[in-house]
Amino acid sequence: MKTLSDINFRDPYILSVPELEQYYLFGTDGLTAWSGAPHGFDVYISSDLQEWSGPIAAFRPDADFWADHHFWAPEVHRYNGKYYMFASFKGHSVPRGTQILSAETPEGPYLPISNHPITPASWECLDGTLYVDKEDKPWMIFCREWIEVTDGEMYAVRLKEDLSATIGEPMLLFQASQAPWTVGGKEGQYVTDGPFMHQTSSGELLMLWSSSGASGYAMGITRSVSGDISGPWQHDPEPLYAKDGGHGMLFRDLTGRLMLAIHAPNLNPQERPLLIEVQESSRTISIKSL
């Protein structure tokens, strides 16, 4: 058994499955996050968020899989009775993109549902996440990278009911520099990273996402003024987590507590999953304890 301090994951994502009384931890392998050939994605399993068994192979690419490096940010959503993994990949001379995979069980094995990314083929994209709107229509929220557009962008695009393809053109939601807490690079680059959608009990639609802040990697909250994915999107002035950690997601533990999972610090290979209890008000969330 391992504890979270033993697991070198970036971009942690925890799927809680109450009927099995289990948590499933996915993430980017720190050893191959920036260089080397990834073996795929692994999953760890726990019943108490303290001790984790694994790793178990959740995805292993076939020999003809289009990507060969930067296997990033796998997240798993339960949708229409199956489990869907949204993950980012990059291939030699192929732009980075998010691909969707599926499995019958939370631990996998996950198999691609198409032979190509679902993000635009000519764009450098990452960190696709699933959002199901008030009419039960699926969307993907994703980032267009600063390495291509300088000021990183956040997009939403409708998905087919089986998540196999997109419907229509991506809709620009905002640019990273529009958030007051973000800090640009030496040449004016602004990062968009790790979107995750959350609706409060009052119906407020929030997005968690990460960028560079005054104290390093950070994560903020932006909210849809209309309550719909189309926005407009209003940014909180200060980040939710400000000091060298981010790429967060929310889940409820088996007792009902709302938990935030991030990686911290943002320094390879020191990054580890970090769990933080948060509290929800009618309009937002805030950190309850560290």
Side-chain angles (χ1 to χ4, degrees):
M1 302 292 281
K2 296 184 177 182
T3 66
L4 293 179
S5 63
D6 300 319
I7 301 173
N8 184 202
F9 267 2
R10 299 178 60 83
D11 319 323
Y13 192 96
I14 293 180
L15 175 70
S16 177
V17 184
E19 65 269 31
L20 298 178
E21 298 185 346
Q22 300 279 12
Y23 305 98
Y24 298 82
L25 169 64
F26 303 85
T28 302
D29 181 2
L31 292 178
T32 56
W34 303 111
S35 61
H39 57 261
F41 292 121
D42 291 331
V43 60
Y44 291 84
I45 302 175
S46 175
S47 60
D48 61 6
L49 298 176
Q50 301 298 318
E51 295 186 325
W52 297 84
S53 62
I56 298 168
F59 166 67
R60 294 293 184 265
D62 290 337
D64 60 351
F65 188 62
W66 66 272
D68 57 12
H69 64 288
H70 290 180
F71 286 25
W72 289 353
E75 56 177 66
V76 172
H77 300 263
R78 194 173 189 174
Y79 175 76
N80 283 352
K82 295 183 70 173
Y83 297 91
Y84 289 89
M85 176 184 284
F86 287 60
S88 300
F89 304 92
K90 189 169 178 60
H92 179 66
S93 301
V94 181
R96 192 185 329 279
T98 292
Q99 183 136 9
I100 302 176
L101 309 89
S102 70
E104 298 295 329
T105 61
E107 67 270 24
Y110 286 85
L111 301 174
I113 64 174
S114 67
N115 60 6
H116 54 79
I118 201 164
T119 44
S122 62
W123 291 10
E124 292 281 352
C125 303
L126 76 167
D127 294 347
T129 190
L130 178 66
Y131 168 67
V132 180
D133 68 18
K134 298 173 184 177
E135 298 179 348
D136 290 327
K137 303 298 184 184
W139 294 76
M140 182 175 66
I141 317 304
F142 68 94
C143 304
R144 191 173 186 185
E145 285 205 88
W146 65 268
I147 60 173
E148 182 180 21
V149 294
T150 305
D151 193 352
E153 297 170 337
M154 195 72 71
Y155 283 87
V157 65
R158 271 286 312 278
L159 299 177
K160 289 186 175 181
E161 293 299 316
D162 63 0
L163 310 187
S164 64
T166 58
I167 300 173
E169 296 299 316
M171 173 174 54
L172 178 63
L173 304 182
F174 59 85
Q175 294 171 296
S177 65
Q178 293 170 344
W181 56 270
T182 59
V183 174
K186 292 181 179 179
E187 298 180 7
Q189 312 99 325
Y190 284 83
V191 173
T192 44
D193 199 18
F196 181 82
M197 309 303 296
H198 176 71
Q199 195 154 36
T200 69
S201 56
S202 66
E204 191 88 3
L205 182 60
L206 308 179
M207 182 194 301
L208 305 181
W209 64 286
S210 296
S211 187
S212 296
S215 299
Y217 195 52
M219 183 180 60
I221 298 174
T222 184
R223 63 196 66 244
S224 172
V225 175
S226 68
D228 295 322
I229 195 65
S230 57
W233 291 87
Q234 183 179 74
H235 302 278
D236 284 6
E238 300 295 332
L240 175 66
Y241 192 93
K243 295 183 179 179
D244 201 25
H247 199 114
M249 59 82 60
L250 297 168
F251 70 98
R252 290 201 179 272
D253 72 7
L254 298 177
T255 68
R257 293 185 304 167
L258 188 60
M259 304 295 293
L260 172 68
I262 64 172
H263 74 251
N266 192 44
L267 179 65
N268 185 263
Q270 298 177 25
E271 59 273 90
R272 296 293 186 274
L274 175 65
L275 302 185
I276 304 167
E277 186 176 358
V278 297
Q279 56 193 1
E280 181 184 277
S281 67
S282 61
R283 295 199 68 244
T284 193
I285 59 171
S286 57
I287 291 176
K288 185 174 182 180
S289 60
L290 281 174

